[in-house]
Every structure is written in structure tokens, then in C-alpha cells.
Amino acid sequence: MKTVSSNILVLGDSHCNVFIPALKNQLTSHNIVGGQLPLGPGWFENFHSQTAPLTFTRPEAQALFEQWVTALTGQQVTNILDVEAQILCSVTCIEHCVHSWMWTQWCPAPTPDRDFISDTVLDKIVSGFFGHILHFFELLTEAGHPVVNIVSPLPRDNKNYKVQVHDALRAVLHRRFDALGVPLIDVSDLSRDPETTALAQPYYSTMKGDKIHGSPGWGRLVSQSIVETTIFDHTS
Amino acid sequence: MTPYRKQKRKHFWRTAAAKDTARALSTFYTPKFKIAKSTKVAAAGSCFAQNIRRHLIQNGYQFVDFETAPPFFPEVERKSFGYELFSARFGNIYTLEQLHQLALRSFGQFETSEPFWEKDSRFFDPLRSTIEPNGFASIEDAQAARASHLRRVREMFLHADVLIFTLGLTETWISQEDGTVFPLCPGVNAGVFDDEKYAFSNTGFSENLESFCTLRRFLKSQNPDLKFILTVSPVPLEATATAHNVICATSYSKSVLRAVAGTVCDQFPDVDYFPSYEIFTSPLFKGQFYQDNMRDPSPDGIAAAMDLFFSAHQADQKTVPAPHITPPAPNTAAAAKEAADRFAAEQQTICDEMLLGNENREL
């Protein structure tokens, strides 16, 4: 674990914005910065090069990333591992690999009108999609950062077996992140409607038209789980 | 004047088997019906059929695959999971009766009584035991996967314009209970061999003819426009369960299949025969189209066969160009290894029958 700063730099996608306020309330002695990366949710996809493993492959993206980190931390770094902050990494990993094809064509559970995919095939899909991200997490872990990963909120309904897909992916991700020693923050069961098995209404986003993100209440659940499972350095 | 007077050069050995083997090869095949680029072509059969799939795609034909790998599934592992080999994820289909039963199963008209096979707490489909190398997590999963698969197979039979089927074997293992035909001997990859439950059958001409005619009649009732192109795999048997030498057993097996293919080709206007077997086994080519083990087709052999196929379908018969035949490479170990490595890397085929070679035995 790095013992250099009580700064916590959060890297992730738009779901970070939901739990960061709650995390700030809980970790009042820490300076929590960061959140949704400026390059959108697909940022991890380009965040690797052969010569400098934790830099963006495109120079423009790298320059933008450096500006962003500098603005947040006051540090000018090229390689993210060199930043003097504890990195709380949050990639909400469900939606990214659940593209429309998976909602409409494939299903990990026996269903009458969807193609079935076995647990092994699903595991390999996850490897195919998350291979790069898992490697990135591995490097951050080796560098002593308290990396966690967040599972995005459950779908609001089970249309097209979305909940089944979500749950099957969660199971695979838990295995993968356990093997990596990275906590997977998963509040799905705490925020689930027992009848529909989908996201319970109190955890719906309060933003008009937003059907993807969780409510501040969901953010509090996530924040609580992060604090319970992650050892932050409290030295300053 | 005898009927031979009207025959062409290709009908006489002396002229057809002249020194110009490429020219001779160009007269091997005259398609009964043409395959256009827009024709929806499906393929199934033994491991040799996998080459047909690859070359159809490379040549811009509309090869139809009804059971594709999910996105993000690693490309290097697709074939070992049964993807991108044929038009659905059925693995090798070696016999006509296996194909016939698959067709019936896909339309709900036959259900095997054979239970899923358990091995190390995982479950295998006895009718395609190699497509999930680790098996399924539960019987329910295996059932769901089979149901998905059969839906896709049904779509293939309903929507294909042409089915290319490569006949591989006459030797087969069947369930004594209900006649289910297995692609592999039970116990080789999964399952437990039990001679009270399973029986060996070396099917003959009449059985194979009956299987094809019944299959054709059934499929035409579902898809009246469906046409067939049959080929006989030039790949010899990996092993025989008969008392005969494997080379003699191969000769019997291929002879029966070739005779059946020829018979149905002569009998039905919608059935054609492509002579891949002759391309590889004709004495004209002196075995040059096989690799060193004299079993696996060489890249040059496959290229010659596919060149002939496509040139015949793309051109008017009067102007069929001679297929390209690469002269035999220098017979050096390095050249042979290089060719074999290149072949393995670029044209990987999955041959379930090879598993028979893993059996422990006293030699």
C-alpha cells in the first residue's frame, strides 16, 4: 500500500458520480477527487500501450488525461502509477459487455427463445472483453493501490432476460476479481426488488429521463460497501 | 459406330490421364447446378468439410452460419468450442444416418433416449461431446444448449439453398435402445463404454442409400428448393473397429460412400457430387496431396480441390481454367515441417475422429 497521501483519485465512468458524494461524507479526512473520466466509459479500451503500459495509446487522449489528472491533483504525471494518490478504480462492468446483442440474442439461463451460452463460454466472453481491464487492475494492485471495482445497478425490469444476464455476468466477475484479489463492490442483492428481482424503485435515479444510474441511496450503499471492504491509508 | 465414338477426351484414360495433370483435373467436375455468390450455402460433415466453409467465405460466397460465436469470444478458441467449423455448432457429422437423425431432431421428430454423459461433475451432450470441452455445469444447462442448437439447425435446414455434405465414415456406434447414432464411440471423449448399451455397425450400401433418400425426402418436405452437393472425404480412417487392416477398412468405407453418392447423384436432379475424393486419391497425383502421414490433406491438395470447385462454379464449363497445382515441394524435413506448421496455423481443422488415436492399446 502506498503511504504517500490521503488523496484518493477515483477513476471510472458515470456511475462514480452517484457514489462519490456519499464517499466524501464517509471519508471526511480524505481528499477525494476524480470521477467520470473525460473520455467516456470506453476509456479503458485505449488505456494501454506496449512501451508505456498505463498510458493512452492515442497522444491526444493521453494529453487530455494528463490535463485532467493535473487539474485534480496538481501533479503532472505520464504514467498513472506514478500519481501520489490512492487510486480507487471504478469501472462499472455490466453494461459495457452487455450490448444489445446480448439482451436480444444470448442468454446464460435456459429460456425458450434465446440462444443459451454455457458458463464456460460466458467466462471466455468476459475474458475477451475484460482482459485488458483485468490486466490494468493487476498493475494497479501490484503498485499498492486500493483498487475496487463497482458493479452497476441492476436493470429496472427483466425484459429480454436482462436481470438473468446481469446476474450471470456478476457471478463470472466475482470469480475473476476474487482471483485477482480485487474487491468487487456489488450491492445488487441489497438493492433488488424481491418480487421482480430487478432494481427496487427506491434505487432508481432521481434524474429525469435517466434509466441507467442509481439513486443517491444506491450511491450510499456502494460507498458503505467500499469503506467496509477497502483499506485506505489514513496517514497524511 | 459404338457409343464410345461420341465420348470426349476426358472419358478415355489415355487422354484424360495425360501428363498435364492440371488439365486433366480441370475435367473432373461439371456442376449439375451452379452456385452463385448469392446462393445460401450450408456445410456439414466430416473434418474435410471445414475446408469448404473456409474457402467459400474466402471466395466471397454466401456461406451461412446459424450458430456464430458470441462477440468477444476469443477468436483462437472458437474452433475448439465448435464455432466457425460448419453451419451450426454440431461438430463433425461422419455418417449419413447421423445427419438424418440430426434433421429429425431439429424438427422435433426424434429424441434420443441417451442421457447426457457426466464426467467430473460436468455434463456432455453425447451427440456433440466435443463442442464444450469442459462440459456443461448441469443437466439443465446441457438441455438448454441442445434446445438452442437444434433451433439453429432447423433454421439452417429451412433457409439454406444448398447443403454441402462430406461423407466421412460407414463405421459407427449406435444405441441398442433406440438406434441413436453417435459421432464418436462412447467412452472416447466422454461417457462410459458399455457393450450391452452400444453396438458397432459398419453400415453398407443399402443402409447408407436408405439414410440419404429418407433424409432428402424429409428435408425436401420442409425446404422444397434445397439442393445437395455430396463429397466423400479423402481422409482415411483414423482407426477401425472391424477386424480388418485400417487401410482395407478405409477402402471399404470410402467405396460404399462413393457408390452411394454416385447413385443418388444419378438418381436425383437436385443432388450433385463433387469429386474431392478422386482429386486426392487418383494415381495421377501420386499421393502428393497428402501430408507425410498420408492421411491429412496437404494445403496444396485442398487448394487444388477448391480451385476446381470454384472455377467450375464461376465459369462457363467450356472455358473452365485449369486449376492451379503447385509442384511438389522439395522433400526435405524442413520444408515439410514448414508446410505442416503453416497449414496448422492457417487452416486449423477439428477432427473428432483423431481422438480414437488416443486410445491406449497394445501395438
Side-chain angles (χ1 to χ4, degrees):
Chain A
M1 191 73 65
K2 289 197 170 205
T3 54
V4 289
S5 170
S6 61
N7 282 338
I8 295 175
L9 173 62
V10 182
L11 306 176
D13 58 22
S14 57
H15 293 280
C16 294
N17 301 337
V18 181
F19 70 78
I20 282 177
L23 194 63
K24 283 182 174 175
N25 283 339
Q26 282 195 275
L27 295 176
T28 50
S29 60
H30 289 74
N31 178 33
I32 299 171
V33 294
Q36 181 183 3
L37 279 157
L39 292 167
W43 64 285
F44 274 112
E45 294 300 297
N46 298 307
F47 201 53
H48 188 85
S49 84
Q50 291 292 329
T51 49
L54 290 182
T55 56
F56 280 98
T57 51
R58 283 189 299 128
E60 300 84 358
Q62 179 63 19
L64 187 59
F65 179 69
E66 285 176 23
Q67 284 171 19
W68 187 74
V69 173
T70 305
L72 291 170
T73 65
Q75 303 167 41
Q76 192 146 20
V77 294
T78 305
N79 187 324
I80 188 64
L81 289 181
D82 296 334
V83 73
E84 292 191 352
Q86 297 171 87
I87 298 175
L88 183 68
C89 200
S90 158
V91 186
T92 47
C93 32
I94 298 294
E95 292 95 339
H96 294 198
C97 60
V98 186
H99 293 294
S100 56
W101 58 264
M102 203 154 182
W103 298 122
T104 56
Q105 190 182 354
W106 299 91
C107 193
T111 49
D113 57 350
R114 292 288 188 281
D115 282 342
F116 174 83
I117 46 177
S118 69
D119 57 342
T120 313
V121 171
L122 186 64
D123 202 69
K124 291 190 180 295
I125 296 169
V126 171
S127 296
F129 187 82
F130 282 102
H132 182 180
I133 295 172
L134 289 167
H135 176 60
F136 175 62
F137 279 28
E138 201 173 9
L139 293 172
L140 287 173
T141 307
E142 283 171 6
H145 290 288
V147 183
V148 297
N149 200 38
I150 318 291
V151 173
S152 58
L154 280 159
R156 293 184 179 190
D157 59 61
N158 196 23
K159 192 179 173 189
N160 293 329
Y161 312 102
K162 283 186 286 190
V163 174
Q164 282 160 294
V165 174
H166 182 100
D167 286 341
L169 280 168
R170 280 197 313 126
V172 176
L173 291 169
H174 273 288
R175 284 201 300 274
R176 286 308 176 91
F177 282 91
D178 282 354
L180 203 62
V182 172
L184 189 66
I185 305 300
D186 182 3
V187 297
S188 299
D189 291 335
L190 297 173
S191 54
R192 190 189 298 271
D193 182 319
E195 280 187 23
T196 66
T197 72
L199 189 69
Q201 198 159 16
Y203 299 105
Y204 286 12
S205 170
T206 50
M207 302 289 285
K208 192 179 177 187
D210 181 356
K211 294 182 178 176
I212 294 172
H213 301 102
S215 65
W218 180 86
R220 282 193 291 276
L221 287 179
V222 169
S223 172
Q224 183 63 34
S225 184
I226 290 172
V227 171
E228 285 170 3
T229 51
T230 311
I231 303 166
F232 288 105
D233 176 21
H234 290 273
T235 60
S236 57
Chain B
M1 189 170 112
T2 72
Y4 291 97
R5 188 78 180 169
K6 294 178 185 170
Q7 295 295 76
K8 297 175 182 170
R9 289 167 62 87
K10 72 176 183 180
H11 296 122
F12 296 91
W13 183 266
R14 192 172 52 200
T15 43
K19 285 181 182 174
D20 184 353
T21 49
R23 189 177 181 82
L25 182 55
S26 71
T27 63
F28 270 35
Y29 178 49
T30 304
K32 195 184 272 188
F33 46 82
K34 289 288 181 69
I35 294 179
K37 296 261 168 139
S38 58
T39 305
K40 294 191 285 294
V41 184
S46 68
C47 46
F48 186 75
Q50 294 164 31
N51 299 303
I52 292 170
R53 175 195 193 278
R54 182 170 55 250
H55 284 266
L56 281 167
I57 293 169
Q58 283 172 0
N59 282 275
Y61 283 83
Q62 197 183 341
F63 179 84
V64 286
D65 188 344
F66 286 89
E67 206 170 6
T68 53
F72 302 111
F73 192 89
E75 208 170 319
V76 293
E77 295 196 71
R78 288 181 191 168
K79 288 188 176 178
S80 58
F81 277 77
Y83 294 113
E84 299 180 358
L85 298 175
F86 304 105
S87 286
R89 206 176 162 210
F90 31 60
N92 293 134
I93 300 176
Y94 289 110
T95 62
L96 279 166
E97 187 54 24
Q98 190 192 339
L99 180 67
H100 177 214
Q101 290 186 0
L102 175 67
L104 294 176
R105 290 167 59 223
S106 71
F107 285 90
Q109 300 202 8
F110 176 68
E111 194 166 340
T112 180
S113 61
E114 183 71 13
F116 291 101
W117 292 338
E118 186 177 352
K119 180 176 158 187
D120 300 331
S121 302
R122 302 287 292 183
F123 296 87
F124 293 80
D125 187 337
L127 302 180
R128 47 180 197 140
S129 64
T130 58
I131 57 97
E132 280 277 340
N134 302 322
F136 295 97
S138 64
I139 289 178
E140 290 73 26
D141 279 10
Q143 285 169 333
R146 180 185 281 178
S148 287
H149 167 63
L150 291 177
R151 276 201 305 271
R152 293 299 184 175
V153 174
R154 185 169 61 237
E155 288 174 38
M156 178 191 82
F157 285 130
L158 287 172
H159 299 295
D161 298 322
V162 172
L163 173 65
I164 301 179
F165 183 68
T166 301
L167 293 81
L169 298 174
T170 54
E171 293 189 17
T172 191
W173 291 89
I174 59 173
S175 159
Q176 305 235 43
E177 187 177 338
D178 66 356
T180 294
V181 173
F182 300 102
L184 269 176
C185 176
V188 170
N189 181 55
V192 178
F193 185 75
D194 180 345
D195 58 9
E196 291 191 356
K197 288 177 67 181
Y198 310 116
F200 173 70
S201 174
N202 194 9
T203 53
F205 175 83
S206 54
E207 290 162 283
N208 281 284
L209 183 65
E210 173 68 16
S211 289
F212 180 80
C213 292
T214 315
L215 166 72
R216 177 185 165 276
R217 197 163 47 241
F218 175 71
L219 289 179
K220 296 289 275 187
S221 72
Q222 305 293 337
N223 178 1
D225 296 327
L226 181 65
K227 294 183 173 70
F228 302 84
I229 295 178
L230 300 180
T231 66
V232 173
S233 168
V235 181
L237 275 63
E238 173 68 22
T240 179
T242 67
H244 304 295
N245 172 291
V246 71
I247 295 168
C248 301
T250 296
S251 181
Y252 170 83
S253 189
K254 302 297 179 182
S255 301
V256 166
L257 296 175
R258 178 64 185 90
V260 169
T263 301
V264 296
C265 180
D266 287 346
Q267 190 174 343
F268 301 114
D270 49 28
V271 181
D272 201 0
Y273 173 72
F274 176 70
S276 56
Y277 179 72
E278 285 79 356
I279 294 168
F280 281 82
T281 59
S282 168
L284 259 63
F285 305 110
K286 302 181 178 70
Q288 75 178 75
F289 291 149
Y290 286 102
Q291 297 196 42
D292 284 350
N293 63 3
M294 296 308 287
R295 181 175 187 271
D296 298 327
S298 72
D300 290 342
I302 291 166
M306 292 295 113
D307 279 359
L308 175 66
F309 183 84
F310 291 114
S311 59
H313 280 281
Q314 283 166 1
D316 183 85
Q317 280 306 290
K318 289 174 185 170
T319 57
V320 172
H324 173 71
I325 298 180
T326 309
N331 189 18
T332 64
K337 184 180 183 310
E338 188 185 338
D341 288 349
R342 190 182 68 230
F343 185 60
E346 293 175 2
Q347 311 193 55
Q348 181 195 9
T349 54
I350 302 294
C351 180
D352 294 341
E353 196 197 356
M354 290 287 285
L355 293 169
L356 295 173
N358 296 338
E359 291 284 289
N360 291 322
R361 69 180 73 76
E362 292 178 11
L363 295 172

